[in-house]
């Protein structure tokens, strides 16, 4: 199951990457954040082994939809942003 999810996300990221590379320089620059987050999502689930419930949900996600876009949408809709990560990292550094 995990391998299917990994392969699916990797394939979807490769399709996304090809679409971005076909854009002009400014459009590529504008998509930099989305690209970085989608790559992090794909890498996260490549290493994810902890939660079978989440993996089962992802494995059943409709093949007609782009799972990577769905996960990116969840990230963009999340209340926490990079600011929390930055402050947490700084707090750990200062201790």
């Amino acid at each position: 199951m995990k391998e299917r999810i990994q392969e699916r996300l990797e394939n979807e990221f490769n399709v996304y990457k090809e679409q971005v590379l076909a854009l002009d320089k400014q459009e590529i620059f504008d998509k930099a954040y989305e690209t970085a987050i989608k790559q992090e999502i794909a890498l996260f689930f490549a290493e994810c082994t902890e939660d079978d419930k989440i993996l089962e949900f992802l494995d059943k996600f409709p093949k007609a939809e782009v799972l990577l876009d769905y996960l990116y949408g969840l990230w963009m809709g999340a209340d926490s942003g990079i600011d929390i990560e930055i402050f947490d990292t700084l707090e750990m550094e200062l201790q």
Side-chain angles (χ1 to χ4, degrees):
M1 173 175 49
K2 179 183 169 190
E3 292 78 21
R4 283 191 304 271
I5 295 166
Q6 291 171 330
E7 185 177 330
R8 180 175 180 180
L9 289 172
E10 183 178 333
N11 290 337
E12 289 177 357
F13 183 77
N14 287 334
V15 168
Y16 168 78
K17 182 178 168 183
E18 290 300 318
Q19 291 169 344
V20 169
L21 290 173
L23 301 173
D24 67 38
K25 291 178 185 179
Q26 183 61 48
E27 290 172 313
I28 291 172
F29 181 82
D30 293 343
K31 290 222 171 251
Y33 179 79
E34 181 178 353
T35 301
I37 296 301
K38 284 184 173 183
Q39 187 173 32
E40 285 295 317
I41 290 169
L43 291 172
F44 172 79
F45 284 105
E47 298 170 0
C48 180
T49 58
E50 299 300 318
D51 195 327
D52 287 338
K53 185 177 176 182
I54 290 174
L55 293 175
E56 285 176 26
F57 169 78
L58 296 177
D59 194 44
K60 292 177 183 174
F61 196 81
K63 300 293 182 201
E65 295 184 41
V66 180
L67 177 57
L68 193 56
D69 287 346
Y70 172 77
L71 295 171
Y72 177 71
L74 288 177
W75 168 258
M76 292 302 291
D79 288 337
S80 62
I82 194 168
D83 55 327
I84 293 171
E85 297 293 328
I86 291 171
F87 284 115
D88 288 349
T89 302
L90 282 172
E91 279 186 351
M92 288 189 320
E93 187 69 25
L94 294 172
Q95 291 179 356

